[in-house]
Amino acid sequence: MEGQRKLKAAKVLCVGTGGLGAPLALYLTAAGVGTIGLVDFDVVDESNLQRQVIHSQATVGKLKVDSAELMLKGLNKNVTVVKHNTMLTSANALEVFKDYDVIADGTDNFQTRYLVNDACVLTGKPNAYGSIFRFEGQASVFATEAGPCYRCLYPEPPPPGLVPSCAEGGVLGILPGLVGVIQATEVIKLILGIGEPLIGRLLLVDSLGMTFRTLKLRKNPNCPACGTHEIRELIDYNQFCGIAAPTETGPLEVSSHAAIAADLQEKDGIPQVSVETLKQRREEGKAIILDVREPHEAQISSIGATLIPVGELESRIGELKGHEQDEILLHCKSGARSQRAALILKQHGFTDVKNVSGGILAWADRIDPSMPKY
């Protein structure tokens, strides 16, 4: 009874309601946690339902926080759901975190992970951390007085573009359920003060081998967050990670005006063009269109472009010989891999290289809604 009362009185913030946030929020609600906070500004996308099990086909297009609330209230009518329909930023994180006992990080990008970590250190909130990629996952508890923080493990973020997102690299749909349940377990242990939380330990999950390994982590006395406490306020984490700032406008909300305006922008010297421009160039037959995704992706959806995966581009550059001066439009799923491919072509002397902003997903949203999304 005492433990159930503690759960009822607890307030847990789930940062993200995607693959990790779905099982997190579901199992915490089922366990009787009294208040669940949800941070997400995105909408439900049908192509994500294989892992985002808190949502459904009936809520596609709805705000994720609204969709998640429907499921949580249906599971436990007594739960209080606090919806933060906003992007978590340096400007609002401390204010959002202050009312919660435990923060559960279910994000999928490095800038938000560092933001969550630093905000947890500054507010004194434990961070039940999880991350996933393809067939592997990690879990730990960071930012407690007794243990290290995320910066102790990863002092610096990887170079931009080195680690693909789940949208680009893919993830076994069941894996976030596995890691998310581990995170939920850690949250409940922290609330109840039982067992041995993953403080000072990093759990590595390999779903293909179904193996679990634990690495010991030590607090870094020189860590600027939890060691020397040099970080006294939240910083610009997009700049820290060397990437352009994201916007709160999701792909389903981009206007045609905004899409065409993308033609006027450059990124690292590569012109960014819209899918509307791609459609026009394809109809005119005035440009070479290159798809740099993987063959299995092209089997799902394709506009019939020449396929050379970005990982093979360097070795197959000879296939484009004679087109160094021609206009080449590159696309992938969302625009990140094609940007890298464009930079490779520029390095090899191709002069008129352009990246299709939004990739095949934007094409499916704005040109051909019948095209399958994945």
Side-chain angles (χ1 to χ4, degrees), residues 261-328:
D263 289 352
L264 305 177
Q265 301 171 357
E266 284 194 1
K267 181 180 177 183
D268 297 329
I270 303 295
Q272 308 292 301
V273 302
S274 67
V275 288
E276 287 80 4
T277 298
L278 172 62
K279 179 176 182 289
Q280 180 182 346
R281 292 289 193 275
R282 190 177 75 154
E283 291 171 350
E284 294 171 346
K286 291 184 177 180
I288 295 172
I289 301 173
L290 191 61
D291 183 349
V292 298
R293 298 174 299 154
E294 297 299 316
H296 69 269
E297 295 176 272
Q299 291 176 4
I300 300 171
S301 55
S302 172
I303 61 171
T306 299
L307 179 67
I308 303 181
V310 64
E312 302 175 13
L313 189 54
E314 292 268 14
S315 62
R316 296 175 59 182
I317 205 81
E319 296 178 29
L320 299 172
K321 187 169 182 173
H323 297 288
E324 288 81 358
Q325 310 303 317
D326 294 338
E327 182 183 33
I328 301 179

Side-chain angles (χ1 to χ4, degrees), residues 161 164-165 168 267 272 292 310 331-343 355-359:
S165 67
E168 288 182 7
K267 181 180 177 183
Q272 308 292 301
V292 298
V310 64
H331 82 80
C332 61
K333 181 180 179 180
S334 60
R337 283 174 288 174
S338 50
Q339 174 71 12
R340 296 202 301 273
L343 291 170
N355 181 38
V356 178
S357 179

Side-chain angles (χ1 to χ4, degrees), residues 19 50-51 132-136 165-176:
Q50 90 282 10
R51 65 187 186 278
I132 50 173
F133 183 62
R134 291 183 175 161
F135 302 99
E136 299 177 349
S165 67
C166 283
E168 288 182 7
V171 65
L172 179 67
I174 298 165
L175 178 64

